[in-house]
Amino acid sequence: MSDMDDKGISMTFLALRNRFEQDLHGHYEVAEIRQHFASLCERYFSYTPAQLVLVLKDEVPTDVVNVLLNDLSALTTGTPIQYILGCVHFLDVFLELNNAVLIPRPETEELVHWMLSSTQENETLNVVDIGTGSGCIALAFKKARPKCEVSGWDIDAAALAIAQKNADENQLPVQFKELDVLTDKLPKTKWDIIVSNPPYVPEKLKKSTQPHVLHHEPQHAIFVSDDTPLVFYERIIAYATDHLVPSGMLYFEGHTPLMESLKSLLQEAGFSDIVLRKDFRENLRFIRANK
Ligand code: GLN
């Protein structure tokens, strides 16, 4: 039941959830629609999914009905739920985000896990994340390895503003810096670990990219020219050759069909102990090499 009065629309949580299910039919599975609705209620009311069930027959405060209806229309136009919520969990950190930054992927959590499993809790390493975006890799690593000095670079000032906000909110002192890794002169620092999840999807794949990715996420964080798809890796490998300490580690996330070529690049550059790793979907996704 819904009706309009001076203050706005009056609706119960259940009626509103039904409206979500009706309007998003065909866009998402019912379970996913309910999950999105529950995530939004958690965001605005701090209700756990179990608490939400208990209040389903209660009225939603009218001002929030309007907010939720706006969120619903954003969902119908394909806006990812993470941008609507404006936040996401990434390992042990809670990150704010907007459409200036790529939504952190679960695969990238696996990359950080790999870095953590190869380092000790009390180590004091110098670590840089190149193309840091929301700061997810740098911040999650810093959270788990607080004694390390962690830096994050990105070409995009808007992304760095989010990354810095996330560092402040999580009280994680990470040094963020605006740099174009392809053209700028890079710092002469020596690093124990260099990590990067650079743009790696060849542009020709745009036509098969899901619309919510293509139309809502920052393209420059995802796509690379078909002619030079490994351009970021080439540049970072050249930098790492001179700026990793002896036995320093280089970690990359990358595009499955290009991982063997990336391995060859690392071999040609004289890196050793090169290990390729699959992600949880069984796609070759990560590579690690020793200097
Ligand atoms: N994994 C992302 C995607 O699927 C791409 C991330 C990247 O290019 N670094 O869209």
Side-chain angles (χ1 to χ4, degrees), residues 102 105 107 197-201 213 221-222 253:
L102 196 75
R105 306 291 202 259
E107 300 87 292
N197 171 22
Y200 59 66
V201 180
V213 173
I222 300 175
E253 180 178 320

Side-chain angles (χ1 to χ4, degrees), residues 102-103 105 107-108 196-201 209-210 213 217 219-224 233 253-255 281 285:
L102 196 75
I103 297 166
R105 306 291 202 259
E107 300 87 292
T108 309
S196 185
N197 171 22
Y200 59 66
V201 180
T209 300
Q210 290 170 307
V213 173
E217 298 202 75
Q219 308 260 309
H220 66 268
I222 300 175
F223 296 103
V224 281
Y233 300 94
E253 180 178 320
H255 187 50
R281 297 187 178 95
R285 181 65 64 206

Side-chain angles (χ1 to χ4, degrees), residues 51-86:
Q51 285 168 328
L52 178 61
V53 172
L54 298 176
V55 300
L56 276 177
K57 294 201 172 134
D58 294 357
E59 297 270 319
V60 181
T62 48
D63 50 335
V64 190
V65 172
N66 289 325
V67 174
L68 282 163
L69 289 174
N70 279 339
D71 293 345
L72 172 58
S73 64
L75 281 170
T76 58
T77 61
T79 307
I81 184 74
Q82 294 90 339
Y83 288 149
I84 297 172
L85 293 166

Side-chain angles (χ1 to χ4, degrees), residues 22-41:
Q22 188 186 315
D23 288 12
L24 292 171
H25 178 77
H27 295 264
Y28 294 99
E29 302 290 323
V30 176
E32 224 175 343
I33 298 170
R34 290 192 173 193
Q35 208 173 14
H36 291 346
F37 185 73
S39 301
L40 290 163
C41 290

Side-chain angles (χ1 to χ4, degrees), residues 4-268:
M4 290 286 273
D5 59 25
D6 292 340
K7 287 183 248 117
I9 304 164
S10 139
M11 270 179 123
T12 62
F13 283 93
L14 187 59
L16 202 46
R17 194 179 72 181
N18 288 340
R19 174 77 182 276
F20 268 60
E21 287 177 22
Q22 188 186 315
D23 288 12
L24 292 171
H25 178 77
H27 295 264
Y28 294 99
E29 302 290 323
V30 176
E32 224 175 343
I33 298 170
R34 290 192 173 193
Q35 208 173 14
H36 291 346
F37 185 73
S39 301
L40 290 163
C41 290
E42 188 173 1
R43 177 86 170 130
Y44 300 131
F45 302 102
S46 304
Y47 288 150
T48 63
Q51 285 168 328
L52 178 61
V53 172
L54 298 176
V55 300
L56 276 177
K57 294 201 172 134
D58 294 357
E59 297 270 319
V60 181
T62 48
D63 50 335
V64 190
V65 172
N66 289 325
V67 174
L68 282 163
L69 289 174
N70 279 339
D71 293 345
L72 172 58
S73 64
L75 281 170
T76 58
T77 61
T79 307
I81 184 74
Q82 294 90 339
Y83 288 149
I84 297 172
L85 293 166
C87 58
V88 67
H89 281 284
F90 184 84
L91 293 177
D92 262 354
V93 288
F94 186 68
L95 300 171
E96 281 191 30
L97 79 168
N98 62 24
N99 61 5
V101 296
L102 196 75
I103 297 166
R105 306 291 202 259
E107 300 87 292
T108 309
E109 290 186 317
E110 293 183 85
L111 176 64
V112 179
H113 264 302
W114 197 13
M115 295 164 68
L116 293 177
S117 68
S118 323
T119 54
Q120 305 301 318
E121 189 150 0
N122 284 321
E123 275 185 287
T124 53
L125 306 170
N126 213 10
V127 180
V128 62
D129 170 25
I130 301 181
T132 196
S134 62
C136 60
I137 295 175
L139 293 166
F141 187 84
K142 176 70 182 175
K143 173 98 182 192
R145 296 287 178 265
K147 293 193 173 155
C148 291
E149 292 286 332
V150 181
S151 295
W153 301 343
D154 206 281
I155 189 175
D156 185 355
L160 287 170
I162 300 277
Q164 186 59 56
K165 192 152 184 244
N166 284 324
D168 296 344
E169 295 281 322
N170 288 280
Q171 298 185 345
L172 294 168
V174 165
Q175 275 67 53
F176 290 111
K177 204 175 169 68
E178 189 177 330
L179 272 178
D180 179 345
V181 71
L182 294 182
T183 57
D184 284 345
K185 210 160 173 241
L186 301 179
K188 290 208 168 72
T189 322
K190 290 281 182 186
W191 306 98
D192 298 287
I193 298 178
I194 296 177
V195 57
S196 185
N197 171 22
Y200 59 66
V201 180
E203 257 167 359
K204 64 177 182 226
L205 295 183
K206 273 188 179 171
K207 55 182 182 299
S208 54
T209 300
Q210 290 170 307
H212 62 87
V213 173
L214 198 55
H215 300 131
H216 297 274
E217 298 202 75
Q219 308 260 309
H220 66 268
I222 300 175
F223 296 103
V224 281
S225 142
D226 296 336
D227 303 330
T228 54
L230 292 174
V231 62
F232 286 97
Y233 300 94
E234 285 162 5
R235 176 76 181 110
I236 294 167
I237 290 168
Y239 178 69
T241 303
D242 295 332
H243 295 87
L244 271 177
V245 299
S247 77
M249 305 281 250
L250 181 55
Y251 288 86
F252 285 125
E253 180 178 320
H255 187 50
T256 304
L258 296 172
M259 295 310 280
E260 292 292 346
S261 312
L262 184 50
K263 184 176 176 184
S264 306
L265 280 184
L266 286 160
Q267 280 165 336
E268 284 158 24

